[in-house]
């Protein structure tokens, strides 16, 4: 299934063996039947911040037992026993395990456990349990009370004081300050128990949620028919602050009442719950704030829910088809927090994975409807998301960690036919924790099998951009705003079984002015939405103009700032060194073995621009750390291109002779050539650098695979980029057969002048001499001005009786003699008028077939 549940605690496996051992040791009575009755009554009550789990059960006499499972020591201990037939509403224990708070009511005569009878008294008790001592009544009311101890620190807070929240069904929350003292050695007693100080935290709320990990209280009150979400942060001392207020565009009734994460309450009528709204708040360490809302379920063929992405400034309302309408409908939608994703599902009907870091494009979220494995194998019992990936199945008593199932998602990537699902699953897989190399290898294998099929997005581009992003994202905050996450800027294709509406929302109003940790990141996200005038995400096209300028100077042999170019090339050297350190093993193909100054310039420019971009917007991050992140990011990008190429090379089992010109290409080499062409198109479209040596390998395969006319078309259209290394090898490897002569000549005439002059010297052939002569004449006559001539041509004994050629050679001789220094070719001192004359005669002879 799409989610993988790893059990941290199982009530049956962790507690029952201990209870059996206790009874075998004479603690408690009864036999096997009594133990079975105990199991039937055994249930989890609460999970504290330190991970300790409080559970309860009844013996055959109806006495209520409280136990605690220490998640660190993996041990159980008995906390307290009420020798009456009572039903537990709520329970909490302090971190020292010296105080127990519990709310209880008397069981009904019929023995039903799911209803609170009118007129029943709810007792909220505070018990001294180390050792067992006094019991203090905190409340004795007709309405239900829930209790929760505050844990200012997970392991350690001042021993002398404890703080307890009381949440009343009458819609108020109080905080009790409980001072304790030690007597008679280890005996812990409540100090001045008759006058416990208390204060009102809030009142007139209709819904509340407890965040045990972060010690936050979220609640909703109604102001002039508006639902306002508020959050209180509790601190290590007695203080607490109202952190923010946010308006929710949802309709909540004053008569309604809902609690989330205040323990499990069997007294809540499950039928009522199914008709009640579902509301929950999720955060993560990047500063996200999501509010999930589902109204009362109405029978039909579709269901609606909303997600308020406050950290992005908008909400989305999704209407999903239910698939198999005739199957049994679960009680309500389940929302689970998966860090970068929210899971929303109704078992047997639909399963959604919502991308909360990048919710703008709906294709980055996965939407499944109907009887699919991802839906059918999910637990049908309601799961409660406690904190981060931790969830509790109240019915079975299992505490689990929920993760994206990487194996299933990779399999789904191969099998799905919809582009929207391919896009979503690709990003889901890359966000998974674990072995990044394994994930990338599997995705590359999938890309190579689907690269020639039509898709509404470029598989290579999306993989390179997304994987490079995830490689750097965890290293610092705000990367989601500064680095590209996807190659797409829009998505217009409809998603089957889903309709959605996006609306802008009012941003939360922060009520404090000093922020730390999560609150600092949330405030930064809100400030970004409020004041960001321009899009801050880096775009590699910013270097295009500068790169073209440097290439133009190189082609025209102009000298720019030597220090500037040297610095750019030094940047590229650092990237390649970082890449070589990342890849320790030998490569199958010869990349990074030639200078390829053009690609090195592009790599170095990208380093410079991206570094400047991050330095402008990452305030408070060390410059060295930013520089290293840039090197890691660009080296990762190049490494992904290399991985794709090497994977294809290995898949087609190509051998070293594929790198020579003088052999006929195989079908495998033809396939790799086309994959390289797709890689080139993807990189050029995003203006990304390619590994030095890529173009040389591409040209070698192009010469081997393509007919001459196709090859020249690829060269003229810019698909094949002639490099000095490739053409040099071409001249040396191929002999001078008629076909090869035609190929060599066609290549040479397409070379830039500076490279062409070098290459022509390697080919001892009239064609080469002809080209050298042409270039020499072109340069000599570039600034020539015709002057009147008074003398006739002086025929020497060695002159050929060909008047036009004799006249032309005399002009060249005069120009050379008049300014020998200006018109001498660098490295071609033997090229002169005599050389031109001989080359012209040889070429004419060859053309005439003489």
């Amino acid at each position: 299934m799409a989610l993988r549940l790893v059990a941290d605690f199982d009530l049956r496996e962790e507690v029952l063996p201990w209870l059996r051992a206790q009874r075998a040791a004479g603690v408690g009575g009864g036999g096997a039947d009594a133990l079975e009755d105990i199991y039937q009554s055994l249930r989890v009550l609460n999970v504290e911040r330190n991970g300790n789990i409080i559970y309860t059960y009844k013996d055959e006499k109806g006495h209520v037992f409280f136990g605690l499972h220490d998640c660190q020591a993996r041990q159980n201990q008995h906390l307290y026993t009420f020798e009456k037939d009572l039903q537990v509403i709520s329970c909490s224990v302090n971190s020292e395990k010296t105080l127990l708070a519990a709310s209880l009511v008397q069981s009904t005569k019929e023995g039903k456990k799911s209803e609170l009878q009118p007129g029943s008294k709810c007792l909220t008790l505070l018990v001294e349990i180390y050792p067992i001592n006094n019991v203090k009544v905190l409340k004795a009311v007709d309405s239900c009370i829930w209790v929760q101890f505050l844990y200012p620190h997970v392991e350690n807070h001042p021993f002398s004081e404890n703080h307890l929240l009381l949440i009343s069904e009458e819609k108020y929350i109080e905080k009790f300050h409980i001072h304790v003292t030690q007597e008679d050695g280890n005996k812990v007693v409540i100090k001045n128990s008759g006058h416990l100080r208390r204060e009102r935290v809030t009142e007139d709320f209709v819904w509340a949620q407890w965040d045990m990990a972060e010690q936050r209280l979220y609640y909703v009150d109604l102001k002039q028919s508006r639902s306002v979400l508020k959050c209180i942060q509790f601190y290590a001392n007695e203080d607490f602050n109202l952190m923010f207020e946010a308006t929710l565009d949802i309709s909540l009734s004053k008569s309604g009442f809902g609690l989330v994460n205040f323990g499990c309450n069997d007294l809540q009528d499950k039928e009522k719950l199914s008709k009640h709204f579902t509301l929950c708040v999720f955060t993560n360490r990047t500063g996200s704030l999501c509010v999930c809302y589902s109204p009362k379920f109405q029978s039909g063929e579709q269901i609606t829910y909303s997600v308020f992405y406050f950290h992005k400034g908008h909400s989305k309302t999704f209407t999903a088809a239910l698939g198999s309408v005739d199957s049994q409908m679960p009680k309500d939608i389940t929302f689970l927090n998966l860090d970068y994703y929210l899971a929303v599902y109704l078992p047997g009907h639909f399963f959604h994975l919502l991308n909360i870091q990048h919710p703008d494009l709906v294709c980055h979220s996965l939407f499944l409807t109907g009887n699919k494995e991802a839906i059918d194998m999910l637990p049908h019992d309601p799961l409660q998301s406690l904190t981060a990936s931790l969830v509790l199945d109240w019915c079975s008593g299992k505490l689990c960690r929920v993760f994206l199932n990487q194996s299933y998602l990779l399999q789904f990537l191969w099998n799905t036919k919809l582009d929207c699902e391919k896009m979503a699953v690709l990003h889901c897989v890359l966000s998974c924790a674990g072995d990044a190399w394994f994930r990338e290898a599997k995705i590359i294998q999938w890309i190579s099998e689907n690269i020639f099929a039509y898709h509404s997005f470029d598989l290579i581009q999306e993989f390179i951009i997304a994987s490079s992003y995830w490689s750097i994202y965890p290293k610092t905050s705000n990367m989601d705003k500064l680095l590209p996450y996807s190659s797409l800027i829009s998505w217009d294709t409809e998603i089957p079984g889903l309709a959605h509406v996006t609306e802008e929302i009012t941003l939360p109003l922060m009520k404090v002015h000093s922020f730390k940790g999560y609150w600092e990141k949330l405030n930064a996200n809100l400030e970004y939405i409020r004041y960001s005038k321009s899009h801050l995400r880096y775009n590699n096209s910013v270097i295009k103009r500068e790169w073209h300028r440097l290439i133009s100077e190189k082609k025209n042999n102009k000298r720019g700032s030597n220090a500037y170019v040297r610095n750019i090339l030094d940047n590229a050297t650092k990237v390649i060194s970082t890449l070589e350190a990342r890849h320790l093993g030998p490569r199958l193909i010869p990349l990074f073995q030639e200078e390829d100054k053009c690609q090195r310039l592009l790599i170095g420019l990208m380093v410079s621009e991206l570094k400047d971009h991050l330095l402008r917007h990452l305030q408070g991050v060390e410059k060295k750390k930013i520089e290293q992140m840039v090197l890691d990011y660009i080296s990762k990008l190049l490494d992904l291109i290399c991985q794709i190429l090497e994977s294809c090379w290995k898949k087609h089992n190509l051998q070293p002779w594929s790198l020579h010109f003088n052999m006929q290409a195989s079908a495998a080499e033809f396939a790799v050539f086309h994959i390289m062409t797709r890689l080139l198109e993807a990189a050029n479209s995003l203006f990304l650098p390619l590994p030095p040596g890529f173009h040389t390998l591409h040209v070698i395969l192009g010469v081997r695979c393509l007919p001459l006319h196709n090859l020249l078309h690829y060269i003229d259209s810019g698909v094949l980029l002639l490099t000095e290394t490739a053409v040099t090898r071409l001249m040396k490897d191929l002999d001078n057969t008629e076909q090869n002569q035609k190929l060599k000549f066609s290549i040479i005439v397409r070379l830039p002048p500076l490279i062409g002059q070098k290459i022509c010297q390697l080919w001892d052939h009239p064609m080469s001499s002809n080209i050298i002569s042409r270039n020499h004449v072109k340069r000599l006559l570039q600034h020539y001005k015709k002057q009147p001539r008074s003398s006739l041509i002086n025929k020497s004994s060695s002159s050929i009786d060909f008047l036009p050629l004799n006249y032309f050679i005399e002009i060249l001789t005069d120009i050379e003699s008049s300014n020998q220094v200006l018109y001498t070719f660098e490295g071609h001192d033997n090229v002169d008028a005599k050389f031109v004359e001989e080359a012209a005669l040889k070429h004419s002879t060859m053309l005439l077939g003489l």
Side-chain angles (χ1 to χ4, degrees):
M1 58 182 176
L3 299 183
R4 181 168 58 93
L5 278 68
V6 179
D8 276 7
F9 170 81
D10 188 326
L11 194 62
R12 184 181 184 94
E13 294 181 1
E14 301 280 359
V15 177
L16 271 184
W18 176 75
L19 289 177
R20 187 176 292 111
Q22 290 287 97
R23 288 184 168 261
V27 181
D33 293 340
L35 192 62
E36 184 62 28
D37 291 339
I38 287 175
Y39 172 67
Q40 294 299 326
S41 65
L42 187 65
R43 63 188 181 90
V44 172
L45 287 175
N46 202 357
V47 181
E48 301 290 4
R49 185 184 188 185
N50 57 11
N52 289 344
I53 300 164
I54 308 172
Y55 53 86
T56 184
Y57 60 92
K58 288 185 179 183
D59 63 10
E60 59 276 11
K61 297 179 182 178
H63 297 168
V64 179
F65 291 78
F66 289 89
L68 181 141
H69 178 82
D70 189 321
C71 65
Q72 299 296 328
R74 312 299 293 186
Q75 293 177 349
N76 295 284
Q77 71 178 82
H78 176 257
L79 292 179
Y80 195 78
T81 302
F82 285 103
E83 294 182 351
K84 292 183 180 180
D85 190 6
L86 300 172
Q87 183 63 36
V88 183
I89 299 176
S90 177
C91 174
S92 184
V93 68
N94 65 346
S95 59
E96 292 86 10
K97 295 180 279 189
T98 58
L99 296 177
L100 174 71
S103 292
L104 309 100
V105 297
Q106 290 186 354
S107 295
T108 62
K109 293 180 179 179
E110 294 81 5
K112 294 182 180 178
K113 304 175 182 179
S114 62
E115 295 181 2
L116 181 63
Q117 294 295 313
S120 296
K121 292 291 185 181
C122 173
L123 290 179
T124 303
L125 305 176
L126 184 61
V127 182
E128 297 170 353
I129 60 173
Y130 192 75
I132 295 174
N133 198 34
N134 295 326
V135 176
K136 175 177 174 55
V137 177
L138 295 179
K139 291 279 185 180
V141 293
D142 291 340
S143 57
C144 290
I145 298 288
W146 289 263
V147 292
Q148 177 63 57
F149 273 103
L150 298 182
Y151 280 61
H153 299 288
V154 175
E155 296 293 341
N156 185 19
H157 70 80
F159 182 80
S160 62
E161 187 174 41
N162 290 266
H163 306 284
L164 177 69
L165 293 181
L166 263 66
I167 302 91
S168 171
E169 195 176 25
E170 294 180 350
K171 302 178 182 178
Y172 66 84
I173 300 176
E174 290 182 330
K175 179 183 178 186
F176 280 76
H177 302 263
I178 306 165
H179 291 267
V180 295
T181 185
Q182 279 186 301
E183 296 180 356
D184 302 331
N186 293 329
K187 184 179 179 181
V188 177
V189 297
I190 301 171
K191 185 178 180 181
N192 197 18
S193 61
H195 298 85
L196 296 180
R197 185 167 66 90
R198 60 184 175 180
E199 58 185 312
R200 188 63 60 97
V201 175
T202 187
E203 56 189 9
D204 294 332
F205 68 94
V206 296
W207 171 91
Q209 175 179 319
W210 177 243
D211 185 335
M212 68 170 184
E214 303 299 336
Q215 298 290 280
R216 299 176 193 143
L217 174 68
Y218 300 97
Y219 63 97
V220 173
D221 62 18
L222 302 181
K223 288 186 177 180
Q224 298 177 351
S225 301
R226 291 189 309 156
S227 300
V228 179
L229 174 70
K230 299 180 181 181
C231 178
I232 289 177
Q233 175 73 67
F234 293 93
Y235 299 104
N237 53 25
E238 297 182 13
D239 294 336
F240 58 88
N241 280 335
L242 177 63
M243 301 305 297
F244 70 79
E245 293 183 357
T247 302
L248 296 175
D249 187 18
I250 58 179
S251 178
L252 299 182
S253 170
K254 285 188 176 182
S255 60
F257 183 75
L259 293 179
V260 179
N261 288 354
F262 282 102
C264 177
N265 179 16
D266 271 355
L267 299 179
Q268 295 180 15
D269 190 328
K270 295 181 179 180
E271 291 302 320
K272 290 182 179 179
L273 281 178
S274 68
K275 298 176 182 178
H276 200 261
F277 65 86
T278 301
L279 184 66
C280 51
V281 178
F282 294 130
T283 62
N284 72 8
R285 52 195 168 87
T286 65
S288 68
L289 175 61
C290 291
V291 178
C292 304
Y293 170 71
S294 177
K296 297 178 182 179
F297 175 71
Q298 302 293 335
S299 60
E301 297 183 356
Q302 58 188 24
I303 193 168
T304 298
Y305 67 91
S306 299
V307 179
F308 297 82
Y309 303 95
F310 280 107
H311 57 293
K312 295 295 183 181
H314 67 261
S315 68
K316 288 183 180 290
T317 298
F318 301 96
T319 302
L322 290 179
S324 52
V325 180
D326 294 333
S327 64
Q328 185 178 1
M329 175 62 66
K331 297 296 183 289
D332 53 6
I333 289 181
T334 297
F335 294 99
L336 298 180
N337 186 4
L338 302 177
D339 203 8
Y340 303 119
Y341 285 85
L342 288 179
V344 188
Y345 70 90
L346 209 57
H349 297 275
F350 72 85
F351 173 80
H352 297 170
L353 276 176
L354 304 183
N355 190 324
I356 63 175
Q357 292 301 115
H358 300 277
D360 299 336
L361 298 186
V362 71
C363 62
H364 290 150
S365 298
L366 178 64
F367 301 94
L368 302 179
T369 302
N371 292 319
K372 294 187 178 181
E373 183 183 358
I375 301 169
D376 291 339
M377 292 184 66
L378 291 169
H380 281 242
D381 294 331
L383 298 179
Q384 181 63 55
S385 188
L386 299 180
T387 180
S389 62
L390 191 65
V391 301
L392 181 61
D393 184 343
W394 297 111
C395 297
S396 66
K398 290 183 180 180
L399 189 68
C400 302
R401 301 277 174 181
V402 182
F403 305 96
L404 292 175
N405 190 336
Q406 179 177 283
S407 299
Y408 174 84
L409 291 173
L410 284 169
Q411 181 183 3
F412 187 85
L413 187 65
W414 279 88
N415 296 332
T416 183
K417 304 299 182 183
L418 298 177
D419 280 0
C420 58
E421 293 180 350
K422 293 174 184 176
M423 171 71 76
V425 173
L426 174 64
H427 285 270
C428 288
V429 171
L430 291 174
S431 71
C432 292
D435 188 351
W437 185 89
F438 173 80
R439 292 195 303 271
E440 290 165 356
K442 291 295 184 182
I443 294 174
I444 288 171
Q445 183 182 359
W446 170 72
I447 289 174
S448 65
E449 293 292 334
N450 294 272
I451 196 169
F452 298 115
Y454 173 78
H455 301 284
S456 54
F457 66 98
D458 190 305
L459 302 182
I460 295 175
Q461 286 184 351
E462 196 66 22
F463 169 64
I464 290 174
I465 293 297
S467 188
S468 299
Y469 167 88
W470 280 107
S471 71
I472 205 75
Y473 176 76
K475 296 186 178 181
T476 187
S477 57
N478 295 324
M479 282 301 176
D480 58 323
K481 306 179 189 68
L482 301 178
L483 287 179
Y485 169 80
S486 171
S487 62
L488 298 183
I489 58 175
S490 64
W491 179 270
D492 300 324
T493 306
E494 292 185 1
I495 296 178
L498 182 82
H500 65 97
V501 177
T502 303
E503 296 178 320
E504 290 189 4
I505 57 177
T506 304
L507 297 181
L509 176 62
M510 303 303 291
K511 306 295 287 187
V512 296
H513 303 289
S514 178
F515 303 103
K516 291 182 180 180
Y518 166 80
W519 299 112
E520 183 179 10
K521 294 176 181 178
L522 174 61
N523 188 62
N525 287 334
L526 300 179
E527 293 295 301
Y528 172 79
I529 297 170
R530 286 191 183 100
Y531 303 115
S532 179
K533 302 291 183 182
S534 59
H535 207 51
L536 299 184
R537 196 162 284 134
Y538 174 78
N539 191 326
N540 209 45
S541 63
V542 298
I543 68 175
K544 186 178 295 186
R545 182 182 301 176
E546 179 67 8
W547 185 77
H548 283 307
R549 183 183 70 81
L550 291 175
I551 294 301
S552 177
E553 290 179 355
K554 181 176 179 292
K555 286 182 178 180
N556 297 323
N557 205 23
K558 294 181 181 179
R559 292 191 175 184
S561 171
N562 290 333
Y564 174 69
V565 174
R566 190 164 53 249
N567 180 62
I568 294 298
L569 294 176
D570 286 345
N571 289 339
T573 301
K574 293 177 183 177
V575 170
I576 294 173
S577 297
T578 303
L579 180 56
E580 289 174 346
R582 182 197 301 267
H583 192 283
L584 300 178
R587 294 190 180 276
L588 295 175
I589 48 181
L591 298 174
F592 306 102
Q593 295 181 10
E594 65 177 89
E595 183 63 23
D596 201 346
K597 194 170 182 179
C598 289
Q599 289 307 311
R600 289 177 182 263
L601 283 173
L602 184 53
I603 293 170
L605 282 173
M606 188 174 179
V607 173
S608 180
E609 289 294 332
L610 183 54
K611 182 171 65 176
D612 290 346
H613 178 77
L614 295 183
L615 285 171
R616 280 194 302 271
H617 302 294
L618 282 181
Q619 302 299 324
V621 182
E622 293 182 2
K623 183 178 180 181
K624 286 187 177 180
K625 182 178 180 181
I626 291 178
E627 290 176 348
Q628 188 59 51
M629 285 193 298
V630 170
L631 294 178
D632 291 341
Y633 179 79
I634 300 175
S635 64
K636 178 65 175 181
L637 188 148
L638 291 172
D639 187 45
L640 292 170
I641 296 174
C642 294
Q643 285 186 50
I644 295 173
L645 191 51
E646 292 208 337
S647 174
C648 296
W649 198 271
K650 187 183 297 183
K651 172 188 173 184
H652 293 284
N653 198 27
L654 295 192
Q655 302 300 324
W657 57 72
S658 300
L659 302 176
H660 298 283
F661 287 101
N662 52 3
M663 296 188 68
Q664 189 66 32
S666 64
E669 290 163 11
F670 193 84
V672 172
F673 170 75
H674 278 286
I675 289 172
M676 290 191 71
T677 303
R678 291 295 302 272
L679 272 169
L680 180 66
E681 290 173 354
N684 287 347
S685 177
L686 297 175
F687 210 74
L688 299 177
L690 289 163
F694 180 93
H695 288 292
T696 294
L697 180 60
H698 196 206
V699 168
I700 291 174
L701 290 177
V703 172
R704 287 172 60 91
C705 295
L706 299 176
L708 181 58
H709 64 280
N710 291 91
L711 175 70
L712 300 180
H713 175 71
Y714 272 52
I715 294 173
D716 294 338
S717 60
V719 176
L720 286 174
L721 183 63
L722 297 174
T723 65
E724 184 175 344
T725 302
V727 179
T728 300
R729 289 186 56 181
L730 179 74
M731 296 299 161
K732 292 180 177 180
D733 285 0
L734 296 182
D735 56 21
N736 287 328
T737 62
E738 182 178 352
Q739 183 178 359
N740 288 343
Q741 288 183 41
K742 189 175 182 181
L743 170 62
K744 290 180 179 182
F745 177 74
S746 301
I747 294 293
I748 286 178
V749 295
R750 285 168 167 80
L751 291 174
L754 292 178
I755 299 179
Q757 294 166 22
K758 297 179 184 179
I759 297 301
C760 286
Q761 300 301 311
L762 303 175
W763 188 23
D764 184 16
H765 190 270
M767 284 287 191
S768 176
S769 300
N770 183 35
I771 294 170
I772 295 172
S773 300
R774 288 182 178 183
N775 290 335
H776 181 74
V777 170
K778 179 180 179 181
R779 183 169 181 179
L780 288 181
L781 298 181
Q782 194 169 14
H783 302 289
Y784 173 69
K785 295 182 179 179
K786 185 177 180 180
Q787 297 179 353
R789 305 181 61 84
S790 57
S791 61
L792 295 175
I793 297 176
N794 181 23
K795 288 186 179 181
S796 63
S797 58
S798 61
S799 296
I800 303 299
D801 192 12
F802 186 41
L803 185 62
L805 179 59
N806 292 342
Y807 181 76
F808 179 63
I809 295 303
E810 185 178 350
I811 292 175
L812 296 182
T813 303
D814 288 344
I815 296 173
E816 289 174 351
S817 60
S818 64
N819 202 335
Q820 183 68 30
V821 177
L822 179 64
Y823 293 110
T824 299
F825 275 97
E826 182 180 353
H828 296 277
D829 297 333
N830 59 337
V831 180
D832 54 13
K834 183 65 175 175
F835 181 88
V836 173
E837 182 180 23
E838 293 175 355
L841 291 173
K842 287 181 180 179
H843 187 60
S844 299
T845 302
M846 184 180 68
L847 290 177
L848 294 173
L850 301 176

